[in-house]
Amino acid sequence: MAKHTPAGCDFVSLAAPGVPGLKPYEPGKPIDELEREYGIAGAVKLASNENPLGPGPLAMAAIRAALGSLHRYPDGSGYALKKALAAHLSARASLACSAGAITPDHLTLGNGSNEVLELAARTFVTPADEVVFSEHAFAVYPIVTQAVGARAIVTPARSYGHDLDAMRAAVTERTRLCFIANPNNPTGTWVGSDTLAGFLRSLPNHVLVLIDEAYYEYVDEPGYPDGVAWVERFPNLIVTRTFSKIHGLAGLRLGYGVSHPEVAGLFNRVRQPFNVNSLALAAAEAALGDEGHVARSRRVNRAGLRQLEDTCDALGLSYIPSVANFLCIALPRPGGDVYAALLCEGVITRPIAGYGLPEHLRVTVGTEAENARFAAALTRVLGGRTEQR
Ligand SMILES: *Cc1c(COP(=O)(O)O)cnc(C)c1O
């Protein structure tokens, strides 16, 4: 591919203000790519926090049933899914004591919850504004901030997690949006109800807060807040969730935002008319009703997380305590080196130097067999024997 700019054109100087400074998001290495490059088979991917069980049986059946209508545009309003989601979210116990139920008007569907993060930036943030988020927080926050030409204010972490006092102190007249990942990726840390409510209460009205709850369904800690229950109480709050993680539908791209209807109405004007595809709409609606698959996924994750922790303990490695479906492990040498050595063993993990954690590695909880594969490979790698099997 020609790298030279055609004569008379300088595309970089033509690009919108934030664009030349963007660093592309680095996804986890796909299995096919590793097997192609290394000439191996049977590789294991523990790199993108995907559900190792895959989609549930109800979602699979719904996808099959929807295949025959692929010549039609999807329902651009997402009527059926929003109705099901509203009922699902309103039925949660934590909403019973709050003022109102969630209606379809509170909801925004996105091509992954990443699209809702981007919609928040595109809808509310201009190059004159600032966006506040934490060190070690999810990589998409700096990207969507930079893409709209705004200034990112990155606050220092506390014990690898969000320091909401530092975030509050960073809020100025120019702040338009704060991102909070709860729990956070890649650290697996979380913020509790009281701290989060205090933060929300303290904010001026010109600041929107987006709580990213991509791993909400995995968390089982007393004091872990259900952001959706607070949407009525804090009108400047946007909560995002996704079908990519516990529901096992990352490949279909479907996430959603819950917010004040006026905020959702603004997102609805900015978004693409058919941003969510018809297979995703059908699959998500079915997945919502598949409580068995969600419970099974949660169970496998709990056991797997313990398995990974045991591996670390056996190897004398420390890790950041996680409430999600991944573990961030501290290593005696650069995470990138261990990542590369694990690739030779056919195990894909995630180096996170780009998150300011050069001596950690993030490992997604897999099936029992996959976790065991990882444990054996890591043991070999740290023992110094990194030759190929
Ligand atoms: C995985 C993840 C998402 C979800 O992305 P989708 O676009 O819904 O697939 C969002 N936020 C965080 C922190 C994540 O780790």
Side-chain angles (χ1 to χ4, degrees), residues 3 8 27 30 70 101 125 152 160 171 193 218 230 258 284 335 388:
K3 254 219 155 241
L70 278 179
V125 184
Y160 297 109
V171 167
S193 279
Y218 284 108
W230 291 354
V258 189
Q388 242 160 303

Side-chain angles (χ1 to χ4, degrees), residues 112-114 138 141 185 212 214-215 242 244-245 253:
S113 56
N114 278 331
F138 187 43
Y141 311 153
N185 170 16
D212 178 344
Y215 303 95
T242 183
S244 296
K245 303 289 158 60
R253 314 303 304 127

